Amino acid sequence: MNTSFTYEVRLPSDYNTDQQYPVIFALHGMGSDEQDMLRLMEPLQSDFIIVAVRGPLVQGSGYAYFQIKSIGNPVRELFDASVQGLQQLIGDLSSEYAIDPARRYIAGFSQGAIMAMTLSLIMGDAIKGIAALSGYIPQFVKDEYPIEPGTSLAVFISHGDQDHMLPLQLGEDNANYFREHARSVTYVPYHGGHHVTAELYDQFQLWLRSDAELAADNTKGLNA
C-alpha cells in the first residue's frame, strides 16, 4: 500500500476475517506519536480494530500532521496534504481488514482532534463518529472545504476549562458547529488543562462503546 504515514494496527484477540469489527483510527497530538495513542486506546482493543497513525512531520522528539503559523492557523499546504493522505489511508485499510463500514471512528487529541473533526466533515458516511479531545476547526475548513458529513455522524467533543494552549471557547465553538452538522453531539467541558483526565478517559470510552453498540463492561481506567 502506498502511503506516507507510519501506522500500527492492533486487532482484537478473537479477530476473524469472517466477521466485521468497528475500527478506531487514533491520531496523536503535536510532538507525540502513535504509541501514545495505542496506550490510550488499549482498553478498547478487545472489541475494536485500532489503527494508530503517526504524523508525517518531525516535531521535536515526536511528530505532527501539520505545522502552524499561529494558534488556529495551520500551514495550509501541510494540513491539506495530511487530510488527503488520511482519507486515502482510511479507505485502503478498510479494504485490507475486516472493518465494518458502518462503524468507522476517528479519535484524536489536540492536532489529532483537529484532523478528526475535519475528516468527519468531508468524508460523508465513511465516518460514523469521532472523539475529538481538545482541538479546533480551522476557519478555512469551514469556509472552503466541501462540508458533507454523514447522515448518522455522532460526535464526542471535550475541552478543559484550564487549557492554556487552546481556550475553552474553542471547544464550545466546536460543539455548536457540529450541532448543525451531526446527528448527535456529546460535549464534555471538564476541569483540567490540555490533557486527558481520568474521568474524561472513562467518558469517551463509554461513548465509543455505546455508539458502536458494544457492551461497556470492559472499560478500564487511565492508569489500569
Side-chain angles (χ1 to χ4, degrees), residues 6-10 26 28 32-42 52-54 63:
T6 297
Y7 61 91
E8 190 165 334
V9 179
R10 297 282 174 86
H28 61 76
S32 184
D33 61 26
E34 75 282 7
Q35 297 303 317
D36 273 354
M37 294 307 292
L38 283 175
R39 285 188 287 272
L40 196 65
M41 297 296 149
E42 187 275 333
V53 186
R54 178 191 300 175
Y63 300 88

Side-chain angles (χ1 to χ4, degrees), residues 58-122:
V58 174
Q59 179 70 36
S61 59
Y63 300 88
Y65 300 99
F66 56 87
Q67 304 294 345
I68 61 173
K69 300 174 183 178
S70 58
I71 296 299
N73 188 20
V75 176
R76 178 69 184 267
E77 58 268 29
L78 298 176
F79 187 93
D80 289 350
S82 279
V83 168
Q84 293 166 11
L86 287 168
Q87 287 185 82
Q88 183 67 46
L89 182 66
I90 289 169
D92 289 346
L93 292 179
S94 294
S95 300
E96 185 172 341
Y97 292 93
I99 289 172
D100 183 350
R103 291 187 293 171
R104 283 182 287 219
Y105 295 88
I106 307 174
F109 174 73
S110 195
Q111 265 204 6
I114 297 167
M115 289 279 102
M117 289 188 285
T118 299
L119 290 165
S120 75
L121 288 168
I122 64 173

Side-chain angles (χ1 to χ4, degrees), residues 10-19 21 49 96-99:
R10 297 282 174 86
L11 301 174
S13 58
D14 63 350
Y15 181 72
N16 181 342
T17 55
D18 292 330
Q19 299 180 21
Y21 298 84
I49 295 172
E96 185 172 341
Y97 292 93
I99 289 172

